[in-house]
């Protein structure tokens, strides 16, 4: 991949440098060409004035003197012809050259071009011909032709081209160094990440079932480093999935293995209840309640292990058999109705405050039922006699928020952030709980990309909100 990345960077660098160097070289050549042409055109205009005066006075001495001095100074040849095309003065121009003859004929007929050539190149001829008419308007008395040397101008152009090329190659060399460093900097973390993933995969437990594949068969396209990293991630994902399954199975096996002795112990205690002395009845009752609490803790651990398994990961893929959506309004109405007798028995009231329209969430119905049962049970157990609990549903464009709000005794502010911690029980919590209810609800919400938050109500009470993603069309 580094070689490909380097080639791509260098190609872009070459294109960028060429995009600057080529126009700069062309502009430099054009500028030097125009400078030479305009200088010689001005000189030709000056010679036409001298030639017009010489033809009028029939005195060629001044014209010839200036033409020789000009030739000595610039090594350029100058030719002056009269209206008939006959040679009037010459410092070395070949009057038999067809190109010279044609150019002079065009000038005398006022059909010559007065635009400079586009640009000189180093391989162009060593001379440039510039012509100017003698006279003005329709009265042409002759023509002046300067055969200018382009050697010096082409040398200047070659020097500028060499300087531009040197700058371009220097810039390209610098960019090559930068590209080498950049490619190493970009790919070093990728290679390190691939090695780390491979090492981590080796440390994870091997597959515990034969139902899931333990090798990666998917084929990837792209650079070798990216393909290796993708394969390493796939292997790690399979291993992590197996580890999650193993953890989940371990909790289930542990709960099952402990539940049987606890059931046997509960039976033995129940049979001993008839022979326990009166003074030991309180201790017997406490022992029985501890067994019930252990059973609740085991059930809670099993539910928590299931809730904390990421959706669609490992054994949690079985969730795909459940519909991944439900109507939060309907579920809330059902759970409030189901908990109504329990609240009446506890001397409290519960009501639902919901919108008229449906509020579909991207959460299976059984998961939302578990969350609501935890929140309503928590309120029913701890809010206190006479408290009122409201279950509110607020539907937004992206999220649906289900809130359970009561005006009961609440909790102290320092305990709010700890209520979703495993086995944590507040100072005002009643006996019999396991401290796993809210952690299970929070894990279920997070499993389906939601969030559970706990807050206090004013002046007293507890406010627990669950924010769940709205079901998008097509999901």
């Amino acid at each position: 991949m580094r070689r490909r990345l380097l080639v791509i960077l260098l190609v872009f660098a070459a294109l960028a440098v060429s995009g600057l160097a080529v126009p700069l070289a062309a502009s430099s050549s054009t500028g030097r060409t125009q400078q030479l042409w305009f200088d010689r055109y001005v000189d030709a205009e000056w010679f036409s004035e001298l030639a017009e005066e010489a033809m009028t006075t029939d005195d060629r001495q001044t014209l010839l003197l200036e033409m020789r001095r000009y030739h000595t100074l610039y090594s350029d040849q100058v030719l002056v012809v009269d209206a008939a095309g006959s040679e009037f003065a010459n410092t070395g121009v070949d009057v038999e050259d067809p190109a010279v003859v044609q150019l002079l004929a065009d000038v005398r007929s006022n059909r010559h071009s007065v635009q400079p050539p586009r640009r000189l190149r180093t391989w162009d001829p060593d001379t440039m011909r510039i012509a100017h008419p003698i006279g003005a308007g329709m009265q042409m008395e002759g023509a002046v032709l300067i055969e200018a040397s382009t050697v010096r101008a082409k040398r200047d152009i070659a020097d500028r081209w060499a300087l531009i090329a040197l700058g371009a190659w220097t810039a390209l060399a610098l960019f090559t160094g930068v590209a080498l460093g950049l490619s190493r900097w970009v790919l070093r973390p990728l290679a390190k990440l691939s090695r780390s993933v491979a090492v981590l995969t080796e440390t994870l437990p091997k597959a515990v079932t034969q139902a899931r594949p333990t090798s990666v068969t998917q084929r990837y396209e792209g650079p070798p480093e990216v393909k290796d990293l993708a394969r390493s991630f796939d292997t790690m994902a399979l291993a992590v999935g197996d580890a999650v399954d193993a953890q989940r199975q371990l909790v289930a096996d542990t709960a099952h293995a402990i539940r049987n002795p606890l059931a046997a112990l509960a039976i033995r205690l129940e049979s001993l209840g008839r022979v326990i002395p009166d003074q030991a009845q309180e201790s017997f009752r406490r022992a029985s309640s501890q067994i019930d609490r252990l059973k609740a803790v085991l059930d809670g651990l099993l539910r928590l292990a299931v809730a904390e398994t990421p959706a669609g990961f490992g054994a949690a893929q079985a969730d795909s058999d459940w519909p991944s959506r439900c109507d939060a309004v309907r579920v809330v109405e059902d759970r409030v109705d189901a908990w109504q007798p329990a609240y009446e028995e506890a001397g409290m009231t519960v009501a639902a405050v919901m919108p008229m329209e449906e509020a579909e969430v991207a959460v299976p119905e059984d998961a939302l039922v578990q969350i609501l049962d935890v929140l309503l049970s928590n309120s029913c157990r701890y809010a206190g006699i006479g408290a009122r609990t409201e279950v509110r549903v607020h539907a937004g464009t992206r999220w649906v928020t289900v809130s359970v709000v009561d005006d009961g005794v609440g909790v102290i502010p320092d305990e709010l952030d700890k209520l979703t911690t495993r086995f944590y029980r507040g100072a005002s919590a009643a006996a019999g709980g396991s401290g796993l209810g809210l952690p299970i609800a929070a894990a279920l919400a997070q499993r389906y990309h939601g969030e559970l938050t706990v807050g206090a109500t004013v002046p007293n009470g507890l406010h627990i909100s669950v924010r769940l993603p709205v079901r998008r069309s097509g999901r």
Side-chain angles (χ1 to χ4, degrees):
M1 181 177 178
R2 192 177 79 176
R3 186 182 298 108
R4 296 182 181 180
L5 180 60
L6 191 59
V7 169
I8 292 173
L9 291 175
L10 290 180
V11 167
F12 277 109
L15 291 176
V17 171
S18 300
L20 293 175
V22 172
L24 183 60
S27 175
S28 174
S29 175
T30 301
R32 185 64 180 89
T33 303
Q34 291 180 349
Q35 178 187 1
L36 174 64
W37 189 89
F38 280 116
D39 288 345
R40 297 303 181 265
Y41 191 82
V42 171
D43 295 339
E45 187 176 17
W46 177 62
F47 277 119
S48 69
E49 294 175 357
L50 292 179
E52 186 177 8
E53 183 179 354
M55 290 178 181
T56 303
T57 60
D58 199 22
D59 182 6
R60 308 183 187 186
Q61 295 300 322
T62 303
L63 176 62
L64 290 172
L65 178 61
E66 293 299 331
M67 290 171 61
R68 294 190 189 99
R69 291 171 61 183
Y70 188 83
H71 174 71
T72 303
L73 181 61
Y74 296 109
S75 301
D76 294 345
Q77 309 294 341
V78 182
L79 170 65
V80 178
V81 297
D82 56 19
S86 301
E87 180 179 314
F88 186 77
N90 191 1
T91 59
V93 177
D94 183 6
V95 295
E96 301 297 332
D97 189 335
V100 172
V101 174
Q102 183 63 44
L103 180 57
L104 290 174
D106 292 340
V107 171
R108 286 185 287 110
S109 59
N110 204 17
R111 290 185 285 109
H112 68 293
S113 173
V114 293
Q115 296 294 328
R118 186 175 181 182
R119 67 176 65 94
L120 277 175
R121 295 163 296 187
T122 55
W123 55 86
D124 285 340
D126 291 340
T127 58
M128 175 190 295
R129 296 185 179 92
I130 300 99
H132 193 279
I134 301 174
M138 300 299 296
Q139 186 64 31
M140 295 294 179
E141 299 181 6
V144 175
L145 184 143
I146 296 180
E147 204 169 54
S149 173
T150 60
V151 174
R152 183 174 179 180
K154 290 193 296 183
R155 185 168 57 247
D156 292 343
I157 291 172
D159 292 343
R160 294 179 185 180
W161 283 5
L163 185 61
I164 293 172
L166 178 62
W169 281 107
T170 302
L172 194 59
L174 291 175
F175 193 87
T176 301
V178 173
L180 285 171
L182 182 62
S183 61
R184 291 195 185 99
W185 178 72
V186 169
L187 297 180
R188 188 182 297 115
L190 192 64
K192 185 177 180 181
L193 179 60
S194 182
R195 291 193 298 268
S196 300
V197 170
V199 172
L200 178 60
T201 303
E202 291 296 325
T203 63
L204 292 173
K206 302 300 180 183
V208 295
T209 65
Q210 298 299 323
R212 296 179 59 233
T214 57
S215 62
V216 179
T217 59
Q218 184 174 356
R219 300 184 63 181
Y220 292 95
E221 300 295 334
E225 292 85 354
V226 176
K227 291 192 291 186
D228 291 342
L229 181 60
R231 283 191 289 266
S232 298
F233 263 102
D234 278 353
T235 304
M236 184 184 69
L238 292 175
V240 171
D242 291 334
V244 171
D245 288 346
Q247 176 188 2
R248 186 177 180 180
Q249 188 63 38
L250 175 62
V251 174
D253 293 343
T254 303
H256 178 73
I258 297 178
R259 188 181 288 111
N260 289 336
L262 280 177
L265 182 59
I267 294 174
R268 288 179 178 275
L269 283 176
E270 185 178 355
S271 64
L272 290 174
R274 294 186 295 270
V275 297
I276 295 296
D278 293 340
Q279 61 270 24
Q281 286 293 330
E282 181 63 23
S283 296
F284 175 77
R285 187 188 61 78
R286 290 180 179 179
S288 299
S289 65
Q290 289 300 318
I291 290 178
D292 293 337
R293 185 171 183 274
L294 282 175
K295 290 181 179 179
V297 168
L298 287 175
D299 292 338
L301 284 174
L302 183 58
R303 289 195 299 271
L304 183 62
V306 173
E308 288 185 336
T309 303
F313 197 53
Q317 289 176 347
D319 288 344
S320 60
D321 297 336
W322 290 85
S324 59
R325 63 184 183 275
C326 67
D327 180 12
V329 172
R330 185 183 61 79
V331 174
V332 167
E333 288 178 342
D334 177 72
R335 298 325 296 160
V336 168
D337 183 68
W339 278 90
Q340 193 77 40
Y343 272 83
E344 292 176 356
E345 184 179 348
M348 295 182 287
T349 58
V350 61
V353 180
M354 295 172 295
M356 298 298 295
E357 68 276 4
E358 293 183 351
E360 282 205 338
V361 293
V363 177
E365 181 176 338
D366 68 319
L368 183 55
V369 168
Q370 291 185 59
I371 295 173
L372 286 173
D373 283 346
V374 168
L375 301 187
L376 289 170
S377 173
N378 187 76
S379 173
C380 185
R381 290 172 62 89
Y382 305 126
I385 297 175
R388 174 179 172 81
T389 300
E390 289 185 355
V391 184
R392 304 169 183 172
V393 178
H394 174 73
T397 56
R398 297 181 56 193
W399 304 95
V400 172
T401 303
V402 180
S403 303
V404 177
V405 183
D406 66 64
D407 57 0
V409 296
V411 297
I412 60 178
D414 293 342
E415 293 181 344
L416 289 174
D417 294 336
K418 302 176 183 178
L419 292 181
T420 54
T421 303
R422 298 178 186 179
F423 303 110
Y424 181 80
R425 292 170 54 80
S428 60
S434 64
L436 291 174
L438 286 179
I440 291 173
L444 281 171
Q446 186 176 6
R447 181 181 184 183
Y448 295 102
H449 311 289
E451 182 183 16
L452 183 144
T453 57
V454 180
T457 58
V458 179
N460 55 274
L462 200 62
H463 185 146
I464 304 178
S465 297
V466 182
R467 190 178 67 166
L468 301 171
V470 171
R471 175 185 174 265
R472 303 295 181 186
S473 58
R475 286 186 59 176

